[in-house]
Amino acid sequence: MGKLFDKYAVVTGGAGFLGSHLCDRLIGEGAHVTAIDNLITGDMRNIAHLVGNDHFRFVKHDVTEYIFVDGPVDYILHFASPASPIDYLKLPIQTLKVGSLGTHKALGLAKNKNARFLLASTSEIYGDPLIHPQPETYWGNVNPVGLRGVYDEAKRFAEAMTMAYQRYHAVQTRIVRIFNTYGPRMRINDGRAIPAFISQALRGEDVTVFGSGKQTRSVCYVDDLIEGIFRLLLSDIGDPVNIGNQSEISMLDLAKEVIQLTGSNSKLVFKELPEDDPKVRQPETTRAKKLLDWEARVDRKDGLRNTIAYFRTAMGLQG
Ligand code: NAD
């Protein structure tokens, strides 16, 4: 029997990359899950395996509008938001609306149902950080009028709104600051580095690295992230917690690793660095370790192998 036996959870953004993995985990723990998604960047294929499961229901709805859910709700996990730079640069107003109005509506539902609320925040709230690695106490270095401001500021507002509901309405809230995560169900063309590298390498095309490739990221395998989120959800920690993998790698080395793991002959090409692209990004995860007894466990090469296998199938290539 799972830890959420007979509990009711709502996952906004449930048809997305992370939301769909979360639905799987919650159902695996015995919960009844309602996924709410307007499919703006999500895909029904991510949850196709859950359709017909009597612990799962899908509601197509834009969460910037009033959210109605009948029956009890114990947990609300608010994951709806365009998340990849390609998406939020193409959908700037929708991104701002879902971070502000969508968070407000989801918190309203939590208050109404007396449910616990968990916000999917992001390392982007630290912007282009001036301290490294980034602990939860760092306030960030964000350009509010830069192109990426639509995402960063929406999430900063969402955090502020979440804390206000905690302080003024006594809603039980949790905030996870997610650092770059990868794994099966990412979209091939979502503009993030790992799907781009893998799909280019599998097609035998040149692999594109931005700038000199010296900028770093710390990439977390999706199973590790979901475990951290699950622990946070069940914890009593009302302040933000970083969840991410501490192992830092340059984009250049990551591209080389992907080429090697796919067995491709692709060459590297370099393109200009996009505006406000953070130069370094590494989570400080002492809090997660201390308070949740959580740390990333999946080795990057293993995680990349699983992701490459997923993309091979998704791209119709042989294994
Ligand atoms: P995704 O694009 O795959 O999923 C987001 C989902 O939200 C999609 O299914 C989309 O259709 C849905 N959505 C967007 N606006 C909506 C609205 N107004 N109403 C209803 N549904 C809406 O992205 P993801 O990578 O799964 O990200 C999920 C969440 O995690 C986001 O909030 C994102 O900011 C956060 N996050 C992700 C990462 C990462 O590395 N993937 C890092 C930091 C934070």
Side-chain angles (χ1 to χ4, degrees), residues 26 58 199 236 241 258 271:
L26 296 168
F58 174 74
S199 58
D236 57 2
V241 178
V258 167
K271 283 202 181 150

Side-chain angles (χ1 to χ4, degrees), residues 244-289:
N245 191 314
Q246 285 213 290
S247 149
E248 198 179 7
I249 185 170
S250 73
M251 287 292 101
L252 186 57
D253 288 341
L254 184 60
K256 287 180 184 162
E257 203 166 280
V258 167
I259 292 174
Q260 189 238 324
L261 289 172
T262 50
S264 163
N265 297 320
S266 294
K267 307 261 170 309
L268 294 170
V269 290
F270 294 86
K271 283 202 181 150
E272 204 179 320
L273 202 61
E275 185 186 330
D276 294 335
D277 195 55
K279 286 174 255 331
V280 287
R281 186 52 69 63
Q282 187 190 26
E284 163 60 76
T285 53
T286 312
R287 259 171 74 75
K289 189 161 180 2

Side-chain angles (χ1 to χ4, degrees), residues 16-18 37-38 40-42 62-63 79 151 155 181 192:
F17 162 46
L18 298 181
D37 201 301
N38 66 353
I40 195 170
T41 59
D62 180 339
V63 298
F79 276 64
Y151 182 67
K155 290 288 183 180
T181 300
R192 291 188 260 206

Side-chain angles (χ1 to χ4, degrees), residues 141-309:
N141 177 40
V142 172
N143 175 1
V145 294
L147 289 174
R148 299 171 75 110
V150 296
Y151 182 67
D152 306 1
E153 298 294 7
K155 290 288 183 180
R156 290 168 71 94
F157 179 90
E159 286 201 7
M161 178 73 90
T162 300
M163 292 310 290
Y165 265 69
Q166 182 193 106
R167 292 183 181 122
Y168 298 102
H169 289 310
V171 173
Q172 285 192 43
T173 65
R174 310 284 175 263
I175 297 176
V176 56
R177 290 185 180 153
I178 302 170
F179 282 66
N180 295 71
T181 300
Y182 71 99
R185 303 187 196 153
M186 293 185 92
R187 294 201 326 272
I188 293 171
N189 53 357
D190 80 355
R192 291 188 260 206
I194 289 182
F197 291 164
I198 294 179
S199 58
Q200 289 169 332
L202 287 177
R203 290 194 192 103
E205 296 167 358
D206 290 341
V207 169
T208 313
V209 175
F210 291 112
S212 64
K214 289 208 179 103
Q215 68 280 20
T216 66
R217 294 292 183 273
S218 311
V219 292
C220 185
Y221 188 61
V222 63
D223 290 359
D224 277 335
L225 176 84
I226 298 293
E227 178 62 32
I229 291 172
F230 189 68
R231 288 184 188 211
L232 177 63
L233 181 69
L234 297 192
S235 78
D236 57 2
I237 304 162
D239 292 325
V241 178
N242 289 339
I243 297 283
N245 191 314
Q246 285 213 290
S247 149
E248 198 179 7
I249 185 170
S250 73
M251 287 292 101
L252 186 57
D253 288 341
L254 184 60
K256 287 180 184 162
E257 203 166 280
V258 167
I259 292 174
Q260 189 238 324
L261 289 172
T262 50
S264 163
N265 297 320
S266 294
K267 307 261 170 309
L268 294 170
V269 290
F270 294 86
K271 283 202 181 150
E272 204 179 320
L273 202 61
E275 185 186 330
D276 294 335
D277 195 55
K279 286 174 255 331
V280 287
R281 186 52 69 63
Q282 187 190 26
E284 163 60 76
T285 53
T286 312
R287 259 171 74 75
K289 189 161 180 2
K290 199 167 128 209
L291 301 176
L292 305 175
D293 189 25
W294 176 90
E295 59 188 332
R297 296 193 187 283
V298 179
D299 177 71
R300 192 177 53 241
K301 283 203 165 76
D302 292 336
L304 285 174
R305 278 193 201 97
N306 290 348
T307 313
I308 290 166

